[in-house]
């Protein structure tokens, strides 16, 4: 499929998606979200892809859902848009670890896209917010749930109710982003994180992602049982043996994902 609104590239073990509607501040049109879902579905089972970077380029991450596609949309149409898979859930459920590399505005659905990723890097220019309330709606792609899980209900309500914006440093202080880097280093830093992730045992990484995500919504005892079962399962993998053996032999492990 030839994409009109995103660019995709492979760099070593990293798969990079760049949102590409610069004249509309990467507003998330149904076409764009459909292309992201398609691109992700193409690499979901590709074991050579060990990390995924989602970025909007050096100027803007995404200024939210495309409001021009919402003016006349009715409930049935909004329902139908989700039938082919919604982008935010697809991102969150990718087996590979995902990194959002955010420069400029990450508003509304853009902030929600960053939050659907596992890790968030922001450049100093980044601005986060959930301004939906200002246009008569509320966040509908994770903003009412993922934001409070990341920064707490009180601060999340402040952003969602008041519809304001926060800068990169404040976002980091609140726990919304993992790290803030100078604008010019953003993509290199994301690639460096992807490289680190690619050096880890891939199956173990996929399993721990699932255990942490699913366990987070369970009661503690159930979550601990889920963790324990997955942990026991790891002892049937070659990578577990390789990791421990390499340590004892004082050499670098050679992980195969088996
Ligand atoms: N949907 C559709 N188009 C959008 C958009 C969105 N969410 N955000 C920006 N654009 C478009 C603008 O309409 C404009 O297009 P035009 O040049 O054809 O008129 C272009 O992107 C540039 O935006 P502009 O508003 O001129 O830039 P700015 O620097 O003055 O302001 C923002 C930037 C992000 C503050 C402002 O664009 C904005 O508030 N966007 C909407 C954010 C929002 O409410 N998102 C949640 C949607 S549910």
């Amino acid at each position: 499929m030839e994409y009109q609104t995103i660019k995709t590239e492979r760099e070593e073990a990293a798969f990079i998606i760049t949102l590409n509607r610069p004249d509309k501040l990467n507003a998330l049109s149904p076409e764009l979200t459909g292309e992201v879902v398609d691109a992700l579905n193409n690499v979901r089972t590709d074991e050579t892809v060990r990390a995924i970077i989602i970025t909007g380029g050096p100027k803007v991450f995404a200024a939210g859902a495309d409001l021009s596609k919402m003016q006349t949309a009715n409930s049935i149409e909004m329902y139908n848009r989700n039938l082919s898979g919604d982008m935010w859930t697809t991102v969150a459920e990718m087996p590979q670890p995902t990194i959002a590399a955010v420069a400029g505005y990450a508003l509304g659905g853009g902030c929600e896209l960053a939050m659907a990723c596992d890790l968030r890097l922001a450049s100093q220019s980044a601005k986060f917010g959930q301004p939906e309330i200002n246009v008569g709606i509320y966040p509908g792609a994770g903003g009412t749930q993922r934001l409070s899980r990341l920064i707490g209900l009180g601060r999340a309500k402040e952003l969602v109710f008041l519809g304001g914006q926060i800068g990169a440093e404040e976002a980091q202080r609140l726990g919304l982003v993992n790290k803030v880097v100078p604008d010019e280093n953003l993509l290199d830093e994301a690639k460096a994180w992807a490289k680190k992730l690619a050096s880890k045992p891939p199956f173990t990484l996929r399993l721990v992602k699932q255990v942490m995500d699913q366990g987070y919504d369970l009661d503690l005892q159930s979550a601990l049982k889920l963790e324990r079962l997955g942990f026991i399962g790891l002892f049937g993998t070659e990578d577990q043996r390789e990791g421990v053996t390499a340590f004892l032999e004082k050499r670098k492990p050679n992980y195969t994902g088996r």
Side-chain angles (χ1 to χ4, degrees), residues 21-25 27-28 63-70 105 107-109 130-132 134-135 137 165:
R21 296 184 72 206
D23 52 328
K24 296 292 176 191
L25 305 185
L28 303 166
D66 190 329
L67 290 169
S68 70
K69 305 279 190 275
M70 283 189 161
Y105 292 115
L107 300 178
Q130 297 290 165
E132 288 87 345
N134 302 329
V135 291
I137 52 177
Q165 295 175 13

Side-chain angles (χ1 to χ4, degrees), residues 13-217:
F15 181 66
I16 305 170
I17 296 180
T18 306
L19 312 179
N20 189 31
R21 296 184 72 206
D23 52 328
K24 296 292 176 191
L25 305 185
N26 292 336
L28 303 166
S29 60
E31 185 187 15
L32 183 149
T33 60
E35 290 186 354
V36 172
V37 169
D38 185 75
L40 290 174
N41 283 340
N42 286 338
V43 299
R44 175 187 300 283
T45 56
D46 185 340
E47 290 186 36
T48 66
V49 171
R50 308 272 287 270
I52 294 165
I53 297 171
I54 300 181
T55 186
K59 295 214 171 95
V60 61
F61 187 67
D66 190 329
L67 290 169
S68 70
K69 305 279 190 275
M70 283 189 161
Q71 194 179 12
T72 56
N74 63 27
S75 303
I76 309 296
E77 193 182 331
M78 293 306 285
Y79 175 87
N80 285 340
R81 277 187 199 173
N82 275 345
L83 291 182
S84 53
D86 92 88
M87 175 181 72
W88 297 265
T89 304
T90 304
V91 170
E93 292 182 350
M94 286 303 286
Q96 296 96 336
T98 49
I99 303 167
V102 180
Y105 292 115
L107 300 178
C111 187
E112 291 169 307
L113 174 59
M115 290 192 291
C117 292
D118 298 308
L119 303 166
R120 279 157 294 283
L121 291 173
S123 79
Q124 281 155 342
S125 68
K127 287 194 176 69
F128 296 84
Q130 297 290 165
E132 288 87 345
I133 198 80
N134 302 329
V135 291
I137 52 177
Y138 68 67
T144 67
Q145 304 304 315
R146 289 200 177 98
L147 188 58
S148 47
R149 281 164 170 74
L150 281 169
I151 70 172
L153 193 54
R155 295 308 303 263
K157 281 181 176 168
E158 181 183 333
L159 281 171
V160 171
F161 289 8
L162 299 179
Q165 295 175 13
I166 54 171
E169 307 288 348
E170 172 78 340
Q172 185 185 23
R173 204 179 58 74
L174 292 174
L176 180 54
V177 302
N178 297 81
K179 187 174 179 183
V180 180
V181 296
D183 289 359
E184 60 278 13
N185 295 355
L186 180 65
L187 197 55
D188 284 345
E189 185 74 11
K191 287 176 182 172
W193 281 38
K195 205 169 180 171
K196 267 191 204 162
L197 289 165
S199 73
K200 307 298 178 196
F203 177 72
T204 311
L205 208 45
R206 290 173 182 212
L207 211 61
V208 75
K209 169 171 170 165
Q210 229 172 317
V211 164
M212 291 181 80
D213 280 341
Q214 291 181 10
Y216 200 84
D217 292 326

